[in-house]
Amino acid sequence: YKLIFKMKKITLFTPTYNRAYCIHQLYESLLRQTSNDFEWLVIDDGSTDDTLRILEPFASQIKLLRHSSNCGLPSALNTGIRNARGQFVVRVDSDDFVHEEYLNILTTSLRLNNSYDAVCCDYFLVDGKQNAVEIVNSMEQPIGCGIMFRHHHLVEIGLYNETMRVCEEVELRDRFLSEYQIIRIPIPLYKYCKRDDSLSSDREVTS
């Protein structure tokens, strides 16, 4: 099935910069989702590698947004949120993977609990060979991914701070928690790949 139709409940967005070598693997991960009620936005932040060529076969199934130059991760994230049409928004980075029930479980949690403002899941920390190293509690060691927000709440708090080149997800989370609450699902649905050149190590590079 295709990843997007006219209107979807979920917007999944992926910022990417020079990740041609891995983004196809993310696509395969998303094809296995038990929920197809989502659109997928890919924000190419001025890549100079073959990212656009790799994405060409999926052109009818994704919405590709492109920056003419590398503007940085917060700018790419905001482009995704501003163009989102879904009620719920969630970020998945281009070198990561998700469980087939990832979107279904997060969405169901928000849809059935109106008091929940955002929901996060635990994650596997994996190495460059995709081997799970450990399971991480997402509240004790939060990351920018693996968390689904109600779209209008992110708009209300003013999106990401584009002047920040590091820890932009920490600053956003702090502002969000000053107004709303995040609920944790203690199930590792996200596989977070921490590479030497990932945005965990070098926040100048968009994931």
Side-chain angles (χ1 to χ4, degrees):
Y1 57 83
K2 292 187 176 182
L3 292 177
I4 64 171
F5 298 94
K6 288 186 177 180
M7 292 297 294
K8 294 295 181 182
K9 184 179 292 291
I10 313 157
T11 294
L12 185 150
F13 61 100
T14 299
T16 190
Y17 176 69
N18 289 349
R19 289 294 188 268
Y21 62 88
C22 63
I23 198 165
H24 183 271
Q25 298 173 8
L26 171 60
Y27 174 80
E28 294 294 334
S29 172
L30 298 180
L31 277 180
R32 293 192 292 270
Q33 292 299 294
T34 57
S35 170
N36 65 356
D37 194 16
F38 69 98
E39 62 172 355
W40 184 27
L41 309 186
V42 177
I43 307 93
D44 179 67
D45 194 26
S47 292
T48 57
D49 66 354
D50 288 336
T51 294
L52 295 181
R53 182 182 63 80
I54 296 296
L55 290 172
E56 279 180 6
F58 318 134
S60 64
Q61 299 171 305
I62 66 176
K63 182 175 182 181
L64 178 62
L65 306 169
R66 189 166 192 269
H67 292 172
S68 58
S69 60
N70 183 238
C71 300
L73 179 58
S75 177
L77 293 171
N78 284 344
T79 294
I81 296 170
R82 291 189 181 106
N83 284 274
R85 296 178 298 176
Q87 179 183 357
F88 309 127
V89 293
V90 62
R91 166 184 164 190
V92 177
D93 283 348
S94 53
D95 53 357
D96 295 338
F97 307 88
V98 292
H99 188 276
E100 63 186 18
E101 294 289 350
Y102 175 68
L103 292 177
N104 182 41
I105 291 176
L106 295 184
T107 306
T108 300
S109 298
L110 286 178
R111 184 172 58 83
L112 297 181
N113 297 275
N114 290 329
S115 61
Y116 290 6
D117 303 311
V119 59
C120 63
C121 65
D122 287 351
Y123 58 93
F124 289 105
L125 183 63
V126 300
D127 60 22
K129 296 181 180 179
Q130 303 175 27
N131 298 313
V133 177
E134 63 177 305
I135 297 176
V136 183
N137 182 314
S138 58
M139 295 299 279
E140 295 177 354
Q141 299 182 51
I143 54 176
C145 309
I147 178 169
M148 181 177 285
F149 297 94
R150 295 187 186 275
H151 185 196
H152 66 280
H153 286 341
L154 289 183
V155 174
E156 288 170 358
I157 67 169
L159 309 184
Y160 286 88
N161 184 342
E162 296 188 13
T163 67
M164 300 190 69
R165 301 298 291 190
V166 295
C167 300
E168 75 292 324
E169 78 282 1
V170 176
E171 193 272 343
L172 176 88
R173 193 182 184 97
D174 287 345
R175 277 189 288 120
F176 189 88
L177 287 172
S178 70
E179 300 286 339
Y180 307 110
Q181 64 173 332
I182 299 173
I183 303 299
R184 171 190 169 227
I185 296 177
I187 306 173
L189 300 172
Y190 196 95
K191 293 183 178 180
Y192 178 62
C193 185
K194 187 173 182 179
R195 294 187 173 95
D196 290 340
D197 68 340
S198 72
L199 67 165
S200 299
S201 304
D202 182 359
R203 291 285 175 167
E204 295 293 324
V205 178
T206 311
S207 174

